[in-house]
């Protein structure tokens, strides 16, 4: 267990909080979605209420190590000020004499937004001298940017070598509690549902989860690589030809571990991946040569939903079909509803699965929505995240 912001005394302390304010901006530099800023509010408010002096750091976009005004965090600071209902100071940089001056001028309960850490190439290089500069005058490091925790950067990992106290923020703590809980001590049966385009993207997750779950459900285009490995006719469905052996190996592994690996039993197929084309439902073994599987079929939804209903823990990542097109969205929406209706501890990750639970209007019924895409997949793969490892143990 890692220490959290709740475990340390914050009053009068200078806190460096790594947040994820990597928000989308439009051409005029206006924030089009402030979800990430809102998500950071609980940790920021807690630190301010306890009387800390808070420096906030984040990256935004890919400025490639040079200052780019269009990727300034000023709009994020302004939005934060509105949400907090108090001023947020904006620094011209994240290190250097001007920042040091502003930091020394802070009173308890003040907030200073540092400029984009990726304006310095040293950030992504995890440079030791730069990490030490970030840490100047800091008493406590708080990492609340789970989505960046799989990267060993100066503001997520390097800085911890130069501060006495390094703890998780509330968002990070929640991610670790639910994702870590699912991997370490899940309420059984533990059911994982994986979907999306490629087996290759999720192979680490599949391998790790096979050693932990009671059933693995596979949908999306990924399933067709498995069907090819079984020797079934997959028509023009998306298959990763070079991953067929890997799929065969995974099925063998599941069999020897006695973990049921469920593939779709039927499919919604069409001659083309676009709206308005004719569709038909096919059984697994019989996708016509000129057609492609674009969603799991109604029988598969029922079967998957049954497993999800009876589960104690559910982890879901990746859509069951081309859910962006309505005629191929039923499988993904069906799984979203089943996950929401289940009494299990439910964890949903991945941009597409999150938008599916939102589209289905059931996001509130999910136990935990994991926002760090790449980071949550790496965590589920069993990899150690540098930004987490660097935090103090409880
Ligand atoms: P990923 O980024 O790997 O999670 O894949 C997400 C994408 O996979 C979505 O854009 C889906 O449209 C796509 N996808 C899911 N199922 C299929 C399928 N059967 N055929 C083609 N694309 C699919």
């Amino acid at each position: 267990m890692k220490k959290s912001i709740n475990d340390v005394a914050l009053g009068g302390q200078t806190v460096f909080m790594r947040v994820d304010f990597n928000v989308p901006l439009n051409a005029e530099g206006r924030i089009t979605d402030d979800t990430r800023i809102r998500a950071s509010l609980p940790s920021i408010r807690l630190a301010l209420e306890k009387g800390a002096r808070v420096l906030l750091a984040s990256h935004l976009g890919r400025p490639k190590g040079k200052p780019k005004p269009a990727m300034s965090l000023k709009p994020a600071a302004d939005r934060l000020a509105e949400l907090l209902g108090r001023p947020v100071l904006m620094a011209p940089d994240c290190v250097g004499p001007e920042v040091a001056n502003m930091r020394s001028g802070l009173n308890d309960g003040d907030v200073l937004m540092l400029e984009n850490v990726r304006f310095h190439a040293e950030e992504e290089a995890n440079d030791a001298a730069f990490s030490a500069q970030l840490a100047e005058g800091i008493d406590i490091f708080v990492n609340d940017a789970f989505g960046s925790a799989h990267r060993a950067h100066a503001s997520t990992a390097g800085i911890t070598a130069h501060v006495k106290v390094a703890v998780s923020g509330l968002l990070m703590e929640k991610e670790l509690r639910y994702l870590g809980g699912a991997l370490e001590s899940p309420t059984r049966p533990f059911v994982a549902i994986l979907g999306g385009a490629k087996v290759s993207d999720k192979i680490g997750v599949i391998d790790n989860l096979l050693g932990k779950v009671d059933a693995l459900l596979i949908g999306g285009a990924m399933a067709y690589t498995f069907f090819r490995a079984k020797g079934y006719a997959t028509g023009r469905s998306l298959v990763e030809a070079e991953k067929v052996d890997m799929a065969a190996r995974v099925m063998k592994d599941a069999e020897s571990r006695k973990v049921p690996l469920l593939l779709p039993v039927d499919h919604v197929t069409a001659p083309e991946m676009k709206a308005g084309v004719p569709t038909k439902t096919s059984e697994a073994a019989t996708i016509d040569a000129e057609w492609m599987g674009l969603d799991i079929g109604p029988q598969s939804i029922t079967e998957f939903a049954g497993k999800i209903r009876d589960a104690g823990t559910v982890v879901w990542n990746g859509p069951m079909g081309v859910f962006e097109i309505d005629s191929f969205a039923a499988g993904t929406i069906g799984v979203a509803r089943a996950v929401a209706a289940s009494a299990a501890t439910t964890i949903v990750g991945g941009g597409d699965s999150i938008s599916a639970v939102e589209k289905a209007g059931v996001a509130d019924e999910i136990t935990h929505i994991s926002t760090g895409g790449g980071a949550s997949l790496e965590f589920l793969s069993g990899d150690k995240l540098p930004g987490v490892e660097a935090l103090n143990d409880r």
Side-chain angles (χ1 to χ4, degrees):
M1 260 313 243
K2 292 296 177 183
K3 260 192 191 163
S4 98
I5 188 169
N6 277 317
D7 298 323
V8 292
L10 297 160
Q13 302 293 297
T14 303
V15 170
F16 181 106
M17 193 182 292
R18 176 59 160 94
V19 290
D20 177 6
F21 282 2
N22 184 26
V23 289
L25 300 172
N26 67 13
E28 287 91 54
R30 279 180 184 278
I31 296 170
T32 53
D33 181 356
D34 66 0
T35 308
R36 286 175 170 168
I37 300 177
R38 288 174 185 276
S40 303
L41 288 173
S43 291
I44 298 171
R45 284 206 177 107
L46 176 71
L48 297 178
E49 277 160 19
K50 301 274 180 187
R53 306 158 181 216
V54 180
L55 283 76
L56 297 173
S58 178
H59 74 281
L60 195 162
R62 297 189 172 172
K64 305 215 170 103
K66 298 221 165 54
K68 294 234 168 73
M71 294 175 196
S72 169
L73 281 158
K74 178 78 169 66
D78 292 345
R79 182 73 191 114
L80 176 64
E82 282 168 27
L83 292 167
L84 285 175
R86 68 164 90 191
V88 172
L89 295 165
M90 184 68 211
D93 200 346
C94 61
V95 290
E98 267 186 89
V99 173
N101 267 337
M102 292 179 92
R103 186 187 64 239
S104 324
L106 293 179
N107 292 310
D108 294 355
D110 282 350
V111 199
L112 172 63
M113 179 86 232
L114 302 178
E115 190 50 283
N116 196 338
V117 284
R118 288 197 189 162
F119 284 178
H120 296 262
E122 294 88 341
E123 161 67 4
E124 292 184 74
N126 198 15
D127 181 83
F130 180 71
S131 300
Q133 272 185 294
L134 288 175
E136 252 168 55
I138 301 300
D139 301 308
I140 299 172
F141 170 72
V142 176
N143 192 346
D144 212 19
F146 179 73
S148 300
H150 57 317
R151 310 270 183 236
H153 292 169
S155 70
T156 61
I159 185 172
T160 61
H162 309 277
V163 290
K164 284 211 187 74
V165 182
V167 299
S168 66
L170 299 174
L171 262 186
M172 169 79 90
E173 186 186 25
K174 193 164 174 250
E175 293 278 4
L176 299 179
R177 174 157 20 103
Y178 285 108
L179 292 173
L183 295 184
E184 279 154 32
S185 53
T187 305
R188 297 197 177 269
F190 177 12
V191 173
I193 314 141
L194 296 175
K198 291 183 176 169
V199 185
S200 45
D201 287 348
K202 308 239 161 97
I203 188 66
V205 179
I206 295 174
D207 280 339
N208 190 42
L209 289 184
L210 272 182
K212 305 189 184 288
V213 298
D214 300 296
L216 181 60
L217 282 42
I218 291 185
M222 236 164 81
Y224 300 103
T225 304
F226 285 88
F227 285 124
R228 178 69 67 80
K230 279 172 168 284
Y232 292 0
T234 53
R236 291 171 50 229
S237 310
L238 199 65
V239 169
E240 281 178 277
E242 69 290 0
K243 295 293 180 275
V244 172
D245 291 347
M246 189 188 265
R249 202 256 305 144
V250 166
M251 289 190 288
K252 248 180 145 175
D253 191 19
E255 207 180 304
S256 64
R257 290 175 183 273
K258 299 194 168 46
V259 174
L261 189 155
L262 275 73
L263 292 166
V265 293
D266 56 352
H267 312 270
V268 177
T269 65
E272 273 181 279
M273 193 196 298
K274 64 179 195 194
V277 294
T279 65
K280 64 182 180 193
T281 302
S282 300
E283 285 175 23
T286 59
I287 294 181
D288 294 345
E290 293 305 312
W291 291 56
M292 52 179 98
L294 295 170
D295 193 11
I296 62 172
Q299 273 285 108
S300 310
I301 300 177
T302 306
E303 203 174 286
F304 284 12
K307 286 280 178 197
I308 293 165
R309 184 191 53 227
D310 297 337
T313 305
V314 175
V315 168
W316 176 32
N317 191 305
M320 297 291 102
V322 184
F323 78 111
E324 298 93 335
I325 301 173
D326 283 347
S327 20
F328 313 115
T332 305
I333 297 294
V335 163
R337 292 214 174 98
V339 173
S342 173
T345 298
T346 52
I347 301 161
V348 174
D352 293 328
S353 308
I354 295 171
S355 56
V357 294
E358 281 166 357
K359 206 166 149 189
V362 295
D364 290 347
E365 288 148 68
I366 307 298
T367 314
H368 177 61
I369 293 187
S370 180
T371 51
S376 59
L377 284 182
E378 287 201 23
F379 195 91
L380 291 174
S381 301
D383 294 347
K384 303 262 178 242
L385 309 185
V388 174
E389 290 307 299
L391 303 177
N392 303 148
D393 288 312
R394 200 166 257 171

